[in-house]
Amino acid sequence: MDDIDRKILMALGENARQSMAILARKLGLARTTVQSRIDRLETMGIIQGYTVRLGQSERAPIQATVLISYEPQSGPAVLSRLKAIPQVRAARTTSGRYDMLIELSAATTSEMDDILDRICSAKGVKGSESLIHLSNKIERKVAGS
């Protein structure tokens, strides 16, 4: 990965929907060069997909991070339970006191409460800590490393 790749990633982070022609013009490169570099970044796994980021008015009003610990060997069953809950946006294994970090999104506090109950009642879950997101103070777009 070089500076041109990083510039492409930064530009895509700002607007992933812009056309190759516009992106190439902004970067001062040939369209075919930009396209081949993006294809290579996808093949390398640096770009793993494209997503939609909803505006504040469309975003679910309640978001939370949940830290859970679970019994040894219970990881696959807990993950299976989490996959069945559509409000689970991400689940990551962690090191330290907790085994997994889960990102949730819900429309109401009642819905969030129900989701937390479903997660914490999953077989093998020993404990949890819920962190309700209040407001974003800093949110950076990921650029090339």
Side-chain angles (χ1 to χ4, degrees), residues 37-95:
R37 283 179 173 260
I38 288 173
D39 291 345
R40 183 175 49 80
L41 291 168
E42 289 173 349
T43 301
M44 292 169 58
I46 293 170
I47 296 175
Q48 294 186 350
Y50 300 87
T51 187
V52 173
R53 292 178 51 101
L54 298 175
Q56 190 65 32
S57 64
E58 298 298 321
R59 190 175 293 159
I62 302 167
Q63 296 181 9
T65 298
V66 180
L67 302 165
I68 62 169
S69 57
Y70 48 80
E71 299 289 338
Q73 310 302 319
S74 294
V78 171
L79 186 58
S80 178
R81 175 77 170 247
L82 294 173
K83 286 179 180 178
I85 302 171
Q87 296 88 345
V88 172
R89 301 291 177 222
R92 297 176 177 89
T93 55
T94 61
S95 62

